[in-house]
Amino acid sequence: EVQLEESGGGSVQAGGSLRLSCTISRYVQNMACMAWFRQAPGKEREGVATSKPANWTPSYADSVIGRFTFSKDMKTVYLQMDNLKPEDTGIYYCAAALYRRCSLDRATYDYWGQGTQVTVSS
């Protein structure tokens, strides 16, 4: 019912920046929650940022606070990533929840994008 598609990944050196985008087939404002997750090689998928579109106040994982910024417009959400570190390397996914309250629990989310690769070299 809802399709998400990420873009904007790439390869950068430590200290660089990238801006990820995720287009959604519905209006962002109609979703209960939007989120970004990432998965590093050999690790579990982890939450990066979440926000309730009706009252946009992003929550961030401790590892990215002060460096990443989660924002939106009508049909796209963004993740501005500054001062990237090698440990930020992974596949980044956007996710949407239709009914649940926002959380960093993967089970909260109903729809997922295919992911976009971010590689940060040391």
Side-chain angles (χ1 to χ4, degrees):
E1 180 66 26
V2 179
Q3 288 79 48
L4 310 175
E5 186 171 346
E6 303 94 337
S7 62
S11 297
V12 298
Q13 292 189 328
S17 296
L18 287 171
R19 188 192 190 212
L20 306 183
S21 300
C22 178
T23 58
I24 181 170
S25 63
R26 304 274 291 276
Y27 288 106
V28 171
Q29 193 67 30
N30 293 332
M31 299 293 101
C33 189
M34 295 296 302
W36 286 95
F37 285 73
R38 67 186 180 189
Q39 188 166 12
K43 295 187 177 181
E44 297 295 319
R45 194 172 299 184
E46 64 176 350
V48 175
T50 68
S51 190
K52 182 179 180 180
N55 184 17
W56 193 259
T57 307
S59 296
Y60 300 95
D62 288 346
S63 60
V64 307
I65 192 165
R67 300 188 297 119
F68 289 12
T69 304
F70 189 20
S71 62
K72 68 174 179 69
D73 60 22
M74 288 189 296
K75 298 194 75 174
T76 308
V77 298
Y78 306 92
L79 189 67
Q80 177 67 42
M81 305 186 294
D82 297 318
N83 192 24
L84 283 161
K85 302 176 180 180
E87 51 264 44
D88 295 318
T89 293
I91 302 174
Y92 283 69
Y93 302 87
C94 61
L98 294 177
Y99 316 114
R100 307 285 188 89
R101 295 192 299 270
C102 284
S103 78
L104 292 176
D105 185 349
R106 293 176 62 186
T108 301
Y109 298 92
D110 302 293
Y111 299 99
W112 296 84
Q114 290 296 109
T116 186
Q117 178 71 47
V118 171
T119 303
V120 185
S121 60
S122 60

